[in-house]
Amino acid sequence: MDFKQQFLTKNLCYQEGRPLTPRGVMVHSTGVAQPDPMVFVRRWNRPDITKCVHAFVAQDQIVQTLPWTTRGWHAGTGTSGRSANDTHLSFECCEPAGHTYQGGTMVGYDVEANRPYFLRIYQNAVELTARLCAQFSLNPLEPGVVICHAEGHDLGIASGHGDVLQWWPKHEVTMDQFRRDVAAAMDHEEDDMTQERFDEMMNDYLARRAQLPPGNWSASARDWAEKQGLVAGDGSGDLRYQALATREETVQMLYRLAQTK
Protein backbone atom coordinates (compact mmCIF):
# COMPACT_ATOMS: atom_id res chain seq x y z
CA MET A 1 0.00 0.00 0.00
CA ASP A 2 1.39 3.37 -1.07
CA PHE A 3 0.88 6.29 1.32
CA LYS A 4 1.42 9.89 0.33
CA GLN A 5 0.50 13.38 1.50
CA GLN A 6 -1.22 15.78 -0.85
CA PHE A 7 -2.57 18.45 1.47
CA LEU A 8 -5.40 20.57 0.06
CA THR A 9 -3.66 23.82 0.93
CA LYS A 10 -6.20 25.97 -0.94
CA ASN A 11 -9.22 24.33 0.67
CA LEU A 12 -11.01 26.38 3.33
CA CYS A 13 -10.58 23.67 5.99
CA TYR A 14 -6.82 23.73 5.55
CA GLN A 15 -6.71 27.52 5.34
CA GLU A 16 -8.65 27.95 8.59
CA GLY A 17 -6.54 25.32 10.34
CA ARG A 18 -8.99 24.75 13.17
CA PRO A 19 -7.57 22.22 15.65
CA LEU A 20 -9.01 18.75 16.11
CA THR A 21 -8.46 16.35 18.98
CA PRO A 22 -9.54 13.06 17.37
CA ARG A 23 -11.97 10.99 19.39
CA GLY A 24 -13.04 8.73 16.54
CA VAL A 25 -12.84 7.86 12.84
CA MET A 26 -15.69 8.25 10.37
CA VAL A 27 -15.69 6.17 7.18
CA HIS A 28 -17.22 7.60 4.00
CA SER A 29 -17.50 6.61 0.37
CA THR A 30 -17.51 9.14 -2.43
CA GLY A 31 -20.98 8.37 -3.83
CA VAL A 32 -19.71 8.55 -7.40
CA ALA A 33 -18.07 6.00 -9.70
CA GLN A 34 -14.54 7.40 -9.65
CA PRO A 35 -11.62 5.20 -8.54
CA ASP A 36 -8.89 7.86 -8.96
CA PRO A 37 -8.37 9.84 -5.71
CA MET A 38 -6.42 12.56 -7.51
CA VAL A 39 -9.62 13.61 -9.29
CA PHE A 40 -11.04 14.60 -5.91
CA VAL A 41 -7.76 16.15 -4.80
CA ARG A 42 -7.78 18.46 -7.81
CA ARG A 43 -11.51 19.16 -7.51
CA TRP A 44 -11.41 19.99 -3.79
CA ASN A 45 -8.16 21.96 -3.67
CA ARG A 46 -9.86 25.31 -4.18
CA PRO A 47 -10.61 28.21 -1.80
CA ASP A 48 -14.35 28.07 -2.57
CA ILE A 49 -14.63 24.43 -1.41
CA THR A 50 -15.59 24.06 2.25
CA LYS A 51 -15.87 20.26 2.47
CA CYS A 52 -12.75 18.25 3.16
CA VAL A 53 -11.80 14.84 4.53
CA HIS A 54 -8.46 13.82 6.00
CA ALA A 55 -7.70 11.18 3.37
CA PHE A 56 -8.86 9.29 0.32
CA VAL A 57 -8.53 5.51 0.21
CA ALA A 58 -7.98 3.98 -3.23
CA GLN A 59 -7.30 0.39 -4.19
CA ASP A 60 -3.55 0.93 -4.44
CA GLN A 61 -2.85 3.97 -2.29
CA ILE A 62 -3.93 6.27 0.52
CA VAL A 63 -3.70 10.02 -0.02
CA GLN A 64 -3.70 12.19 3.10
CA THR A 65 -5.33 15.56 2.34
CA LEU A 66 -5.47 17.25 5.78
CA PRO A 67 -3.20 17.04 8.83
CA TRP A 68 -4.75 14.58 11.26
CA THR A 69 -5.09 17.28 13.92
CA THR A 70 -6.87 19.77 11.64
CA ARG A 71 -10.68 19.86 11.65
CA GLY A 72 -12.33 18.78 8.42
CA TRP A 73 -15.86 19.25 7.09
CA HIS A 74 -17.17 15.82 6.13
CA ALA A 75 -20.17 14.99 8.31
CA GLY A 76 -22.43 18.02 8.17
CA THR A 77 -24.56 18.62 11.27
CA GLY A 78 -26.69 15.95 12.90
CA THR A 79 -30.16 16.09 14.39
CA SER A 80 -28.63 16.64 17.84
CA GLY A 81 -27.08 19.89 16.65
CA ARG A 82 -23.64 18.35 17.09
CA SER A 83 -21.22 17.34 14.35
CA ALA A 84 -18.64 14.60 13.94
CA ASN A 85 -16.52 17.26 12.25
CA ASP A 86 -15.58 18.35 15.77
CA THR A 87 -14.60 14.88 16.97
CA HIS A 88 -13.82 12.45 14.16
CA LEU A 89 -11.10 11.95 11.62
CA SER A 90 -12.48 11.07 8.20
CA PHE A 91 -11.63 9.39 4.95
CA GLU A 92 -13.42 8.68 1.68
CA CYS A 93 -13.30 5.27 0.01
CA CYS A 94 -13.10 5.70 -3.76
CA GLU A 95 -15.76 3.72 -5.58
CA PRO A 96 -15.04 1.77 -8.79
CA ALA A 97 -16.16 2.84 -12.22
CA GLY A 98 -19.28 1.54 -13.95
CA HIS A 99 -22.31 2.38 -11.82
CA THR A 100 -24.64 5.29 -11.20
CA TYR A 101 -26.90 6.39 -8.37
CA GLN A 102 -30.66 6.74 -8.11
CA GLY A 103 -32.07 8.07 -4.87
CA GLY A 104 -28.98 7.04 -2.92
CA THR A 105 -29.02 3.50 -4.36
CA MET A 106 -26.24 2.07 -6.51
CA VAL A 107 -27.52 1.20 -9.99
CA GLY A 108 -25.63 -1.16 -12.30
CA TYR A 109 -23.08 -2.21 -9.67
CA ASP A 110 -21.58 -5.62 -10.52
CA VAL A 111 -20.79 -7.26 -7.19
CA GLU A 112 -18.73 -10.16 -8.51
CA ALA A 113 -16.74 -8.12 -11.01
CA ASN A 114 -15.93 -5.52 -8.34
CA ARG A 115 -15.09 -7.96 -5.55
CA PRO A 116 -11.27 -7.77 -6.01
CA TYR A 117 -11.47 -3.97 -6.09
CA PHE A 118 -13.60 -3.87 -2.95
CA LEU A 119 -11.31 -6.21 -1.02
CA ARG A 120 -8.29 -3.98 -1.74
CA ILE A 121 -10.23 -0.87 -0.70
CA TYR A 122 -11.46 -2.61 2.43
CA GLN A 123 -8.00 -3.78 3.49
CA ASN A 124 -6.54 -0.31 2.99
CA ALA A 125 -9.40 1.17 5.03
CA VAL A 126 -8.74 -1.32 7.82
CA GLU A 127 -5.01 -0.54 7.86
CA LEU A 128 -5.53 3.23 7.85
CA THR A 129 -8.13 3.10 10.62
CA ALA A 130 -5.91 0.82 12.70
CA ARG A 131 -3.00 3.24 12.37
CA LEU A 132 -5.15 6.23 13.32
CA CYS A 133 -6.66 4.44 16.30
CA ALA A 134 -3.20 3.42 17.50
CA GLN A 135 -1.78 6.90 16.99
CA PHE A 136 -4.55 8.64 18.92
CA SER A 137 -5.15 5.89 21.51
CA LEU A 138 -8.65 5.07 20.28
CA ASN A 139 -10.45 1.79 20.90
CA PRO A 140 -12.29 0.84 17.68
CA LEU A 141 -14.62 -1.47 19.61
CA GLU A 142 -15.96 1.28 21.89
CA PRO A 143 -19.38 2.66 20.83
CA GLY A 144 -19.21 5.70 18.58
CA VAL A 145 -15.47 5.58 17.94
CA VAL A 146 -15.23 3.94 14.49
CA ILE A 147 -18.40 4.66 12.54
CA CYS A 148 -19.57 5.32 9.00
CA HIS A 149 -21.54 8.36 7.86
CA ALA A 150 -24.85 6.50 8.06
CA GLU A 151 -24.15 5.45 11.65
CA GLY A 152 -23.17 9.04 12.45
CA HIS A 153 -26.59 10.14 11.24
CA ASP A 154 -28.25 7.57 13.51
CA LEU A 155 -26.21 8.97 16.41
CA GLY A 156 -27.34 12.52 15.59
CA ILE A 157 -23.83 13.78 14.70
CA ALA A 158 -23.96 13.65 10.89
CA SER A 159 -26.24 14.58 8.02
CA GLY A 160 -28.53 12.06 6.33
CA HIS A 161 -26.12 10.23 4.05
CA GLY A 162 -26.16 6.45 3.66
CA ASP A 163 -22.48 5.72 3.10
CA VAL A 164 -20.94 3.22 3.45
CA LEU A 165 -24.01 1.07 4.03
CA GLN A 166 -25.18 1.54 0.45
CA TRP A 167 -22.06 -0.29 -0.72
CA TRP A 168 -20.27 -2.53 1.78
CA PRO A 169 -23.21 -4.84 2.58
CA LYS A 170 -23.30 -5.80 -1.09
CA HIS A 171 -20.06 -7.63 -0.30
CA GLU A 172 -21.51 -9.03 2.94
CA VAL A 173 -19.39 -6.70 5.07
CA THR A 174 -20.83 -4.92 8.10
CA MET A 175 -19.42 -2.08 10.16
CA ASP A 176 -19.25 -4.43 13.14
CA GLN A 177 -16.95 -6.69 11.15
CA PHE A 178 -14.90 -3.67 10.09
CA ARG A 179 -14.42 -2.63 13.72
CA ARG A 180 -13.33 -6.16 14.65
CA ASP A 181 -10.89 -6.25 11.73
CA VAL A 182 -9.44 -2.89 12.77
CA ALA A 183 -8.95 -4.15 16.33
CA ALA A 184 -7.27 -7.31 15.01
CA ALA A 185 -4.96 -5.24 12.79
CA MET A 186 -3.97 -3.13 15.80
CA ASP A 187 -3.11 -6.23 17.81
CA HIS A 188 -1.05 -7.60 14.92
CA GLU A 189 0.79 -4.32 14.47
CA GLU A 190 1.72 -4.19 18.15
CA ASP A 191 3.10 -7.73 17.94
CA ASP A 192 4.94 -6.95 14.70
CA MET A 193 6.67 -3.67 15.63
CA THR A 194 10.13 -3.44 14.08
CA GLN A 195 12.77 -0.73 13.97
CA GLU A 196 11.84 -0.12 10.34
CA ARG A 197 8.18 0.29 11.25
CA PHE A 198 9.04 2.57 14.17
CA ASP A 199 11.22 4.73 11.92
CA GLU A 200 8.40 4.91 9.37
CA MET A 201 5.93 6.05 12.03
CA MET A 202 8.38 8.61 13.43
CA ASN A 203 9.10 10.04 9.97
CA ASP A 204 5.37 10.27 9.33
CA TYR A 205 4.84 12.10 12.62
CA LEU A 206 7.66 14.56 11.95
CA ALA A 207 6.37 15.25 8.43
CA ARG A 208 2.85 15.89 9.70
CA ARG A 209 4.08 18.08 12.55
CA ALA A 210 6.06 20.23 10.13
CA GLN A 211 2.86 20.97 8.20
CA LEU A 212 1.02 22.41 11.21
CA PRO A 213 0.49 26.20 11.15
CA PRO A 214 2.30 28.34 13.75
CA GLY A 215 0.35 29.95 16.58
CA ASN A 216 -0.62 33.60 16.63
CA TRP A 217 1.36 34.16 19.83
CA SER A 218 4.68 33.93 17.95
CA ALA A 219 3.77 36.31 15.11
CA SER A 220 6.07 39.16 16.21
CA ALA A 221 9.02 36.84 16.78
CA ARG A 222 8.51 35.13 13.44
CA ASP A 223 8.30 38.47 11.65
CA TRP A 224 11.58 39.57 13.25
CA ALA A 225 13.33 36.27 12.45
CA GLU A 226 12.26 36.37 8.82
CA LYS A 227 13.41 39.96 8.41
CA GLN A 228 16.75 39.02 9.93
CA GLY A 229 17.06 36.10 7.53
CA LEU A 230 17.39 33.59 10.38
CA VAL A 231 14.94 31.03 9.03
CA ALA A 232 15.01 29.57 5.53
CA GLY A 233 12.54 26.67 5.73
CA ASP A 234 12.66 23.97 3.10
CA GLY A 235 13.75 26.22 0.25
CA SER A 236 10.32 26.25 -1.41
CA GLY A 237 8.66 28.89 0.74
CA ASP A 238 7.51 26.61 3.58
CA LEU A 239 9.15 27.84 6.80
CA ARG A 240 8.04 24.73 8.74
CA TYR A 241 7.63 26.53 12.05
CA GLN A 242 6.20 23.50 13.83
CA ALA A 243 9.03 21.19 12.71
CA LEU A 244 11.50 20.02 15.35
CA ALA A 245 14.92 21.68 14.97
CA THR A 246 18.08 19.56 14.98
CA ARG A 247 21.31 20.79 16.59
CA GLU A 248 22.64 21.32 13.06
CA GLU A 249 19.71 23.61 12.21
CA THR A 250 20.01 25.41 15.55
CA VAL A 251 23.68 26.27 15.07
CA GLN A 252 22.91 27.39 11.53
CA MET A 253 20.32 29.88 12.85
CA LEU A 254 22.77 31.07 15.51
CA TYR A 255 25.43 31.49 12.83
CA ARG A 256 23.07 33.59 10.73
CA LEU A 257 22.27 35.71 13.78
CA ALA A 258 25.97 36.30 14.41
CA GLN A 259 26.42 37.41 10.80
CA THR A 260 23.80 40.15 11.22
CA LYS A 261 25.77 41.89 14.00
Side-chain angles (χ1 to χ4, degrees):
M1 177 187 63
D2 181 36
F3 180 90
K4 68 177 181 180
Q5 290 179 329
Q6 187 77 39
F7 288 156
L8 305 184
T9 56
K10 298 178 182 178
N11 185 282
L12 188 60
C13 290
Y14 184 93
Q15 290 288 321
E16 288 184 342
R18 295 175 60 181
L20 172 70
T21 300
R23 297 201 291 272
V25 179
M26 179 172 280
V27 185
H28 300 266
S29 66
T30 56
V32 62
Q34 176 52 260
D36 184 357
M38 298 310 295
V39 171
F40 299 99
V41 169
R42 291 189 293 269
R43 186 179 300 164
W44 289 16
N45 195 24
R46 297 179 359 217
D48 60 325
I49 299 297
T50 57
K51 62 183 177 181
C52 195
V53 291
H54 294 86
F56 285 90
V57 173
Q59 61 176 330
D60 57 353
Q61 64 179 325
I62 292 174
V63 182
Q64 183 184 357
T65 47
L66 275 182
W68 303 129
T69 52
T70 295
R71 180 183 183 273
W73 182 260
H74 56 92
T77 302
T79 54
S80 67
R82 296 179 293 116
S83 175
N85 297 320
D86 301 319
T87 54
H88 283 61
L89 292 159
S90 59
F91 62 85
E92 295 272 4
C93 295
C94 294
E95 299 178 15
H99 62 277
T100 59
Y101 273 90
Q102 190 172 65
T105 300
M106 284 177 150
V107 177
Y109 183 81
D110 190 325
V111 174
E112 288 306 314
N114 285 309
R115 189 174 301 280
Y117 177 97
F118 173 79
L119 292 176
R120 289 190 292 269
I121 286 281
Y122 182 79
Q123 185 58 41
N124 287 344
V126 167
E127 291 184 17
L128 175 60
T129 306
R131 289 190 183 187
L132 293 175
C133 286
Q135 181 175 337
F136 294 102
S137 301
L138 305 174
N139 182 351
L141 299 179
E142 287 186 359
V145 174
V146 173
I147 57 177
C148 67
H149 196 141
E151 291 178 318
H153 175 66
D154 291 341
L155 293 171
I157 58 173
S159 57
H161 289 197
D163 53 320
V164 294
L165 300 186
Q166 93 289 5
W167 179 19
W168 288 18
K170 292 181 182 296
H171 294 278
E172 300 179 344
V173 171
T174 66
M175 283 299 297
D176 284 339
Q177 178 182 337
F178 179 70
R179 286 182 275 267
R180 290 193 296 268
D181 288 342
V182 169
M186 292 174 68
D187 290 340
H188 176 74
E189 189 167 297
E190 288 179 2
D191 295 339
D192 199 35
M193 179 61 71
T194 63
Q195 185 64 49
E196 181 181 0
R197 175 67 184 129
F198 177 83
D199 292 345
E200 178 187 345
M201 293 173 65
M202 179 58 72
N203 289 334
D204 176 64
Y205 166 74
L206 293 174
R208 288 184 287 101
R209 181 182 177 88
Q211 293 291 332
L212 295 175
N216 293 331
W217 61 270
S218 64
S220 297
R222 286 186 281 109
D223 182 62
W224 171 81
E226 291 169 24
K227 289 179 179 178
Q228 296 294 322
L230 302 184
V231 291
D234 61 2
S236 62
D238 186 356
L239 297 179
R240 303 171 68 247
Y241 274 113
Q242 290 285 5
L244 302 182
T246 64
R247 286 181 172 84
E248 183 180 22
E249 291 169 329
T250 301
V251 297
Q252 179 65 39
M253 287 185 282
L254 292 173
Y255 177 76
R256 289 175 182 154
L257 179 60
Q259 300 302 304
T260 64
K261 297 182 179 179

